C-alpha cells in the first residue's frame, strides 16, 4: 500500500511520522504466551500509572493534542491506546478477541501509540490517505456502530474511512481468516526512533505468535 499524509494532517502536526508493518500471518483464536506478556505489562502499569498520569505518556499526549487541533474532544473520543491502558488501570480485563487483535493491542499499550491493524485484502485500491474526518461522513467502528469521525484523523482507501486512532472500521477488520496484515503506527509525537521500535516490536510478536517472518516496515510522513 502507498500511504499519503494529507496537508490537513501536516498543518496540525508537521512532525507526524508513521510506520506500516506488512506481513503474511496465521491467526488463531487465543495464545496463552501472548496473554502472559499482556498481563505482565498490566501489572507494571498498575504500579506506575494512574488514569490521569497516563494522559502524559508522549504518544497519548500528542494524539490528544492533535484531536484538539482538529476540533475533537479527546476525553469523549479517547485514543485507543489510552482506552486500553485506562481499562487496565480501572482493574478491568482487556477484551480477548483473537491473536492478531490481542497482539496489536499489546503493541499499542507497550508504546502508547494508537495502532490500526487491518486485513489488507479488504482494502479498496492501492493507496491509503491520512486526513481528517468530515461532518456526517459515514463510519462504522468495530463493535461500536456508527461513529461521528468529524475532526478525527482518519485513514481512507478508495471506498472511504478504514481507521482512526479511536476505532478502526468494520469493513477492514482482522478476523481468524486474515492472512495479509497491515499495521499502521501513528506517531503524532514525531519520535521516529520510537515509532520504528514499535514496528520492530510488532514484527517480533508476529514471529513468535503468528507463524510469520515479520514482514516489512515502511516509514512515512
Amino acid at each position: 500500500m502507498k500511504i499519503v499524509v494529507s496537508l490537513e494532517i501536516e498543518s496540525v502536526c508537521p512532525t507526524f511520522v508513521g510506520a506500516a508493518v506488512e506481513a503474511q500471518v496465521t491467526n488463531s483464536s487465543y495464545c496463552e504466551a501472548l496473554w502472559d506478556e499482556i498481563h505482565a505489562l498490566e501489572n507494571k502499569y498498575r504500579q506506575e500509572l494512574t488514569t490521569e498520569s497516563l494522559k502524559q505518556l508522549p504518544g497519548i499526549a500528542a494524539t490528544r493534542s492533535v484531536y484538539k487541533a482538529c476540533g475533537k474532544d479527546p476525553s469523549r473520543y479517547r485514543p485507543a491506546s489510552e482506552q486500553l491502558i485506562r481499562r487496565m488501570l480501572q482493574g478491568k480485563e482487556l477484551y480477548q478477541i483473537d491473536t492478531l487483535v490481542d497482539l496489536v493491542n499489546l503493541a499499542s499499550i507497550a508504546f502508547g501509540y494508537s495502532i490500526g491493524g487491518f486485513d489488507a485484502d479488504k482494502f479498496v485500491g492501492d493507496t491509503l490517505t491520512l486526513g481528517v474526518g468530515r461532518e456526517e461522513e459515514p463510519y462504522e467502528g468495530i463493535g461500536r456502530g456508527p461513529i461521528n469521525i468529524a475532526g478525527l484523523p482518519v485513514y481512507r482507501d478508495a471506498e472511504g474511512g478504514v481507521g482512526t486512532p479511536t476505532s478502526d472500521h468494520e469493513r477492514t477488520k482482522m478476523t481468524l481468516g486474515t492472512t495479509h496484515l497491515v499495521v499502521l503506527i501513528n506517531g503524532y509525537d514525531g519520535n521516529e526512533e520510537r515509532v520504528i521500535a514499535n514496528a520492530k516490536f510488532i514484527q517480533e510478536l508476529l514471529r513468535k505468535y503468528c507463524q510469520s517472518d515479520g514482514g516489512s516496515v515502511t516509514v512515512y510522513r
Side-chain angles (χ1 to χ4, degrees), residues 37-201:
E37 289 200 42
I38 292 172
H39 288 312
L41 188 55
E42 180 180 54
N43 292 334
K44 179 175 182 288
Y45 278 177
R46 284 179 177 170
Q47 295 174 16
E48 296 178 352
L49 295 173
T50 68
T51 54
E52 285 302 311
S53 67
L54 77 91
K55 296 176 185 178
Q56 303 308 314
L57 294 176
I60 292 174
T63 306
R64 288 175 64 90
S65 292
V66 168
Y67 274 32
K68 291 176 182 177
C70 292
K72 208 67 167 179
D73 180 357
S75 293
R76 184 177 178 191
Y77 295 84
R78 298 183 192 279
S81 52
E82 182 182 347
Q83 293 176 42
L84 292 167
I85 299 173
R86 182 182 176 86
R87 185 173 180 85
M88 284 180 163
L89 298 178
Q90 290 174 333
K92 301 173 183 176
E93 284 288 330
L94 294 187
Y95 297 111
Q96 191 276 311
I97 308 297
D98 59 48
T99 299
L100 281 179
V101 174
D102 301 341
L103 182 154
V104 170
N105 284 344
L106 171 58
S108 179
I109 291 163
F111 284 79
Y113 293 124
S114 288
I115 298 174
F118 307 92
D119 186 324
D121 291 337
K122 297 177 181 177
F123 289 142
V124 178
D126 63 359
T127 302
L128 294 176
T129 301
L130 177 59
V132 178
R134 309 181 188 100
E135 290 293 342
E136 299 184 5
E137 181 173 359
Y139 191 92
E140 185 177 0
I142 297 174
R144 298 170 64 124
I147 294 178
N148 174 12
I149 64 167
L152 283 179
V154 57
Y155 287 96
R156 300 183 182 95
D157 66 5
E159 187 170 315
V162 298
T164 75
T166 288
S167 176
D168 293 329
H169 198 287
E170 282 279 356
R171 175 167 61 89
T172 50
K173 73 178 181 182
M174 302 177 292
T175 67
L176 283 175
T178 296
T179 58
H180 183 191
L181 174 72
V182 165
V183 181
L184 303 179
I185 303 165
N186 297 288
Y188 289 100
D189 62 353
N191 189 334
E192 182 173 343
E193 182 178 350
R194 188 165 173 79
V195 167
I196 292 173
N198 201 166
K200 290 182 177 179
F201 179 61

